[in-house]
Structure formats: C-alpha cells, structure tokens
Amino acid sequence: MEYNVHTLPNGIRLLHVPSASNISHACIIINSGSRDEVEGKAGLAHFIEHLIFKRTEKRSTNQILNHLESVGADLNAYTTKEYTCVHASFLTPYLERTLDLFNDIIFHSTFPEEEMDKEKGVILDEIASYLDQPEEAINDDFEDMLFDGHALGNNILGTNDTVNNFTKEDIINFRKANYRTNEIVVAVLGNYSFKRLVTKGEKYFADVPENSPIRKREKPIILPVQHKTVYKPIMQSHCILGSQSYSTHESQKTGLMLLNNYFGGNGMSAVLNLQVREKYGIAYTIESNFSPLSDTGIFSIYFGTDKEKQEKALSLIYKEIKKLKDHPLTELQLQKAKNKFIGQIALGEENRIGLIIAMAKSLVDHNKIDSLERVFEKINQVTPTEIAQIAEDVLDVSKLSTFTFCPILE
C-alpha cells in the first residue's frame, strides 16, 4: 500500500496512507508501555492512558468525549507492554478536529487530583473484572511467571496497591522518561493529499517540545522452566504452556507466525482445534499464540476444559507437538498453510483502523513499512527445513513452562 512519511524537527513522524473512502482512520502511537514502568509502579502507563481523557488545559472531560463523538466519530485507546495508542475513525471532513484532539489529550492533559482519584476506582473495578475471567487472568499470571522479576511480567492494569499509590509526580516522571518524540508516530489513512496532512500535522505537532532521552529497556533473561498450579473457585481448568521466543527483529519471526497459524492460530482448521476439540470434544477453546516484542517474544498454547479432561488435553497437545517434530511439513502441506495465512492477512487489510495502527507500529519498530507483496514474499520464502528448525526450537517440550488454574476440589 502506498504511503508517505514526514519527520518534524522534534522527531515526531507523520504517516500518510491515501484512501478513496469518505471514512478516515487515524492513530497516534507512542513507543511506551507497561515494560517501561519502574519497580512498584505497575499499571502506570495504562493509568495515564485513562487519564488523558479526563481534562486538558482547554477542555473538560465532557468536551473531550464529545469532541469527536458529536460528529459520529469513534475514539478509543489502549496500552500494551510496549505501546500506548489513541485511535479514531471519522468522516473525512473532520481530520483537523481529530488531530487537534490528539494533540490536546497527549500533550496538554492536566491530570487533576480529583480525576485521578475517580479513575483509580474505575481501574480497580477493571482489575476485579479481569480476575472474574480466568481465561484472561491466566495470561497475566503466566507472563508474570515467565518474566519473573522483569517489568514485562507486570500486569498491564497494575495491582490494587500500585494503582492506589500513583501520584501526579509519578505521571510527570513517566511521561518525561518515556514519551520520546522521535518514537511517536501520528498516522492517518484517508482521502487527503500528503501535502495537506503535512500542513495539518505541522500545525498541531511541530510545536511539541523535543524529548529524546536515552532508551533504557533491559532485555529479559530466560528463566528455568516452571510448572505452577493455582486452585480457584472456578468450574473449569485453564492451562497455558509456553516460553520466550523470537523478537520482532529476528529472521525466524515470519516462520513462527506461519507455524503458529497452522498449529493453533485463527480458524477451525488449525491442528490443535481439529485434534483436540473436533476429534475428541475435549476443549471448547484451544489455541496457540505468538507475540513478538522488541527484544523477545512469547509463544504459548492455551486451553480450557473440565478438570477430569485436563491431563487428556495435555497429552493430546504433546502428541501433536511430537507428530509435528517427527514428521515435518511437506512442501504441499506448507504451501496450504501459506495460502491460508496469506488469505487471512489479505482479509485483515479490510480492517482499516487495524491496518493504519499496524503500519504505524512497523514504522516505530523497523523504521519502514513492508508492502503487502513483500509480506507475502517473506511468507512464501519460508521452507520446510526452516519450519522444522523452528518447531525443534520453540516446541521443545522440555523448555515449555506451564501455568494452570484448577477448580478447588469439593
């Protein structure tokens, strides 16, 4: 897809993707997330993401929330381990209105104490709601175990204690240390000329003071394999097995993305779904996931099932892992897997807000954006030998840690 990039003197980059639609999509990506929190401040990045919608130097909470919604636009935000993202979808005439709001909430929020107190209560409720969803909570607990002692293991929401103790000084210090202007991308997909986007982008972001402190992220170490079970008042067992894997910068990333999709990714035809759910009716949900990060990655397999079927489900998963390693994919099997994966990616391009966010992240991570053709080329270049080597590495059962939520026995 065609795109253009303009870098402002302060380092902020403007990404433009032309579109003939009368609907536009925009985002502002900041290369800062929960892994950048210092000890004792877990959840701070997410807390800030909530608070930017509460009050700015020129807008009240209601004015912020109504600024785009009053013209039918959609505004939202999220925080991950490495990013903070604000995004919006809107009718084409409202580009300037959107960029104005992005600038206001990101760079001119005031973080009043009364709003902080209210939002702490909101986030504590959010934490409680996640604890009521074992299929969500187990991911956080697994990653806490996988990255024990490292900020990557922090729950993005934080804990009751950390959230209750946040101060305005914490917010100011975090933003100063992590909101690097040279790692911020403002991206727009819409029916505008590049010249117009640059003009509007300069109007709203050129005056942002340059901020580029040295990045201080610490790469996590690989910890010994662990097997942990937590007993909870739940009806089903929930289990995750996995390990650290490839980062977004490693050449094996594409091969693992392809292998993950074939083994337990999207679609009912994934191996784990066919062999565990469809053949034996053991688990309603069974899937594998690969999440590459800037200096490591996470590969995991998750399933939920009745307590008495837990060991059977695990044995079937290990059986499929062994089968994949003992009988590597043939050229024909691999080509079918490639066709499926490429088709899913192509369909995903129809999600325009997801597309512009992914492109902005790529610009942050790699300082470039691969065309769809280049993405497909990389997938098609993966060989059966490479897939076999990745399977030997990532699906080594002796290196997979497990974390289980088990129902309390009556």
Side-chain angles (χ1 to χ4, degrees), residues 384-399:
T385 299
E386 183 179 356
I387 288 292
Q389 291 171 342
I390 292 171
E392 282 293 329
D393 183 20
V394 177
L395 295 176
D396 183 342
V397 173
S398 68
K399 297 179 181 178

Side-chain angles (χ1 to χ4, degrees), residues 33-35 37-50 79-81 119-120 122-131 137 140-141 144 151-166:
S34 62
R35 73 169 299 170
E37 297 155 352
V38 299
E39 187 175 354
K41 302 300 178 183
L44 184 56
H46 174 257
F47 186 55
I48 294 171
E49 175 235 306
H50 272 235
T79 305
T80 70
K81 292 185 181 294
E119 208 57 30
K120 286 178 182 180
V122 171
I123 292 176
L124 294 180
D125 285 342
E126 189 177 359
I127 292 172
S129 73
Y130 270 82
L131 293 176
D140 292 325
D141 287 357
D144 186 25
L152 277 173
N154 290 348
N155 187 321
I156 291 170
L157 301 181
T159 67
N160 288 356
D161 287 341
T162 59
V163 170
N164 274 319
N165 289 313
F166 289 150

